[in-house]
Amino acid sequence: MPISTDEFESGTLDQDRGAEDPPIEEEKELILSFLSERHDRAFTEREIVLGVDFSPIYERETGRIRGALAGAADGLLDIAGTVTATAVVVDDVDEALSALVEEGAVESREVEADGATTTYYRLAE
């Protein structure tokens, strides 16, 4: 997670730095950017998760998990952190998509194909 110039210069992190963005706001912005760049198409949640670069969020969650599990073997810690961070990102994307649909920024529609129904999302017109 990036730090401010003041934090860099002082060599310490601000205690309230997590209060900058409410939860899922960053995910919502990334999703809207992704859909805006592809405004002529609709995507499943899985396609959005795979298409959006959530690496800043992923790295932050992996670091949080690493700190919480300090003392565990590094290999095991990497696997646990990666799996947990991935699950957190997927859950946050689900929550962010729901919020964007509720706000009217994104439209969702159930589409049937081959006997199955899949939800697709696109930027609202």
Side-chain angles (χ1 to χ4, degrees):
M1 175 177 220
I3 62 173
S4 69
T5 301
D6 291 340
E7 291 171 317
F8 180 83
E9 295 294 332
S10 72
T12 60
L13 298 179
D14 291 340
Q15 296 299 321
D16 62 343
R17 68 186 328 261
E20 294 172 9
D21 285 329
I24 75 160
E25 288 305 311
E26 192 173 358
E27 288 87 343
K28 287 168 54 178
E29 291 171 17
L30 291 169
I31 292 167
L32 284 175
S33 177
F34 175 80
L35 293 175
S36 294
E37 293 170 3
R38 297 156 183 85
H39 60 86
D40 59 335
R41 306 192 75 192
F43 300 87
T44 64
E45 183 175 333
R46 181 177 188 277
E47 292 166 336
I48 292 169
V49 168
L50 294 174
V52 174
D53 180 12
F54 291 105
S55 58
I57 299 165
Y58 176 80
E59 289 167 9
R60 181 175 60 242
E61 291 301 325
T62 300
R64 186 180 62 76
I65 299 304
R66 181 176 293 279
L69 299 176
D74 280 342
L76 180 59
L77 183 59
D78 287 342
I79 292 168
T82 299
V83 170
T84 303
T86 302
V88 168
V89 168
V90 170
D91 286 344
D92 286 353
V93 168
D94 184 57
E95 186 178 341
L97 280 169
S98 295
L100 288 167
V101 168
E102 187 174 308
E103 293 167 8
V106 170
E107 298 174 330
S108 67
R109 176 154 303 153
E110 299 286 322
V111 177
E112 292 188 36
D114 300 324
T117 302
T118 304
T119 303
Y120 281 82
Y121 300 88
R122 72 174 185 181
L123 194 63
E125 293 184 7

